[in-house]
Amino acid sequence: GKSTVATAVVGLWPVSHGSIRLDGVEMSSWDRDEIGPHLGYVAQDVGFFDGTVAQNIARLGEVDPDAVVQAAQRVGMHEVILKFPLGYNTPIGDGSAFAMSGGQRQRLSIARAIYKNPKLLILDEPNSALDDEGEKILARLVLEFKQQGSTVVAVTHRPSLLGLADRLLVLQAGKPVALGPTQEVIQMFQQKQAAQTTATASGDAS
């Protein structure tokens, strides 16, 4: 259910009920070339186009070298990329023999998503392959995007990103069970858990 929500928010999967709108327009109705530069998306299953590192970060559009390097630097990948066989010109994707680690792939996918500072950033399990340093970089990026006025939608089952969220939607078995300010939702679940623990203890005592 979580990845389905992320895909729908990006506009890649039309919803069967309700609507997802950006500036009043249904997401699936936007012209992809028009809205594409304003969206950043990290998919749960990281994949790359057949092209160079630079072309992938630039999403196969016109490569702005300064913006490409800036995106790589922001995720801590610039120095790593310089050590690749051809640096930013190293071919990657399904047709490439060059292999990256899981953490490098995830960081590169985040660099692609933040290229030229999109206004809407959708992150689907963006920290699943990140180490502690990568987690800190991701947290800093989320804060930076929030401060610059961008909207960030993060899908995660890890608690590390929850403290950065203003609002929290909880899904269970693909259905929403809670939505509201993050701390209120967390407190609600903590109270439910405490009540269940008390009820269980009382049952054991009897």
Side-chain angles (χ1 to χ4, degrees):
K2 300 189 299 297
S3 293
T4 300
V5 170
T7 306
V9 171
V10 179
L12 298 177
W13 196 335
V15 295
S16 57
H17 300 286
S19 63
I20 299 174
R21 298 176 182 271
L22 181 64
D23 286 344
V25 179
E26 184 71 35
M27 284 296 297
S28 58
S29 299
W30 275 94
D31 179 274
R32 304 315 297 176
D33 291 335
E34 180 181 359
I35 197 175
H38 305 288
L39 296 180
Y41 177 46
V42 175
Q44 183 175 16
D45 297 320
V46 176
F48 297 107
F49 312 115
D50 287 330
T52 67
V53 171
Q55 289 171 333
N56 268 272
I57 293 177
R59 309 178 195 175
L60 295 187
E62 182 178 353
V63 176
D64 180 334
D66 291 337
V68 165
V69 170
Q70 182 190 58
Q73 288 174 331
R74 294 177 75 184
V75 299
M77 278 292 290
H78 176 64
E79 298 296 332
V80 176
I81 292 171
L82 292 181
K83 296 177 182 178
F84 288 175
L86 296 175
Y88 281 90
N89 292 319
T90 302
I92 57 176
D94 293 336
S96 172
F98 179 69
M100 292 180 286
S101 69
Q104 289 173 345
R105 289 174 61 84
Q106 189 139 48
R107 288 201 196 196
L108 196 58
S109 72
I110 297 171
R112 179 175 59 188
I114 66 172
Y115 178 70
K116 289 194 171 181
N117 295 311
K119 296 299 293 182
L120 177 59
L121 187 61
I122 297 96
L123 310 173
D124 188 1
E125 300 288 0
N127 51 353
S128 60
L130 296 180
D131 56 14
D132 289 342
E133 180 187 0
E135 291 254 17
K136 292 177 182 177
I137 289 173
L138 177 62
R140 185 179 69 244
L141 284 172
V142 170
L143 288 175
E144 289 176 358
F145 271 80
K146 288 176 61 178
Q147 290 168 357
Q148 72 184 26
S150 296
T151 298
V152 181
V153 178
V155 176
T156 184
H157 65 274
R158 291 187 176 188
S160 57
L161 290 179
L162 295 185
L164 305 176
D166 298 313
R167 294 176 63 80
L168 181 62
L169 168 65
V170 180
L171 298 178
Q172 289 182 353
K175 295 183 178 180
V177 295
L179 171 63
T182 300
Q183 290 306 314
E184 290 184 10
V185 173
I186 291 176
Q187 289 175 3
M188 180 188 73
F189 276 92
Q190 288 175 338
Q191 291 170 355
K192 284 185 176 180
Q193 186 176 26
Q196 292 172 351
T197 300
T198 301
T200 300
S202 297
D204 291 341
S206 61

